[in-house]
Amino acid sequence: MEERIESSMKVKIVIFFFAFLASLIMIVASIIGYSIYKEHQELNELEKLTEEYLLKKYGEVDILEIKAESSIKGEQLAYVIFEDEPNTSYIYGESTTGIIQIGPKPPEDEKFQYKFLE
């Protein structure tokens, strides 16, 4: 009888341990999932703000692609390719004053080749 109580207690401890471990895994997975979702939403918002900025600055400009990404440093940058310059990627970021152009930064004697350089 005493062995039965002791083994029953061991089973309860093991079940409790695995239930706690499963709960912990679910909490960590939820936090990671929310972080990924939030970053995706922020990148979509940056793409939208960049497009609005470009349309306001240049009017009806033909944009081939806008893709926002997070850099290794944690910065969120939007890479823009215009139909007029399909081989050039312009880089935009969000500052306290709004959207700003970060790149490209060509040498002075090559700047005339870039139509959308700010």
Side-chain angles (χ1 to χ4, degrees):
M1 180 78 168
E2 198 172 298
E3 279 181 33
R4 214 169 152 190
I5 293 173
E6 191 175 300
S7 74
S8 173
M9 185 62 123
K10 287 180 182 178
V11 168
K12 287 180 182 178
I13 290 172
V14 168
I15 290 173
F16 176 77
F17 173 75
F18 281 112
F20 176 75
L21 188 60
S23 299
L24 192 61
I25 290 170
M26 289 176 60
I27 290 170
V28 169
S30 297
I31 291 170
I32 291 170
Y34 177 74
S35 296
I36 291 170
Y37 171 77
K38 186 177 177 191
E39 181 179 10
H40 182 71
Q41 291 297 100
E42 289 172 356
L43 292 174
N44 284 342
E45 181 68 17
L46 178 59
E47 287 176 1
K48 186 179 125 214
L49 290 172
T50 302
E51 183 176 19
E52 289 172 0
Y53 168 79
L54 293 172
L55 292 175
K56 187 186 293 183
K57 182 159 182 79
Y58 298 111
E60 287 301 314
V61 65
D62 291 324
I63 299 169
L64 192 62
E65 178 183 28
I66 298 177
K67 182 160 178 59
E69 296 178 357
S70 291
S71 70
I72 294 173
K73 295 179 184 177
E75 300 169 319
Q76 294 179 336
L77 303 171
Y79 297 87
V80 179
I81 299 174
F82 296 97
E83 285 187 14
D84 293 352
E85 296 180 81
N87 297 325
T88 303
S89 182
Y90 289 86
I91 305 167
Y92 292 86
E94 192 172 11
S95 72
T96 55
T97 58
I99 300 296
I100 58 168
Q101 188 179 77
I102 298 170
K105 296 191 185 230
E108 282 295 322
D109 59 333
E110 294 179 12
K111 286 187 176 184
F112 70 93
Q113 297 174 0
Y114 297 88
K115 185 175 178 182
F116 301 99
L117 197 60
E118 297 174 16

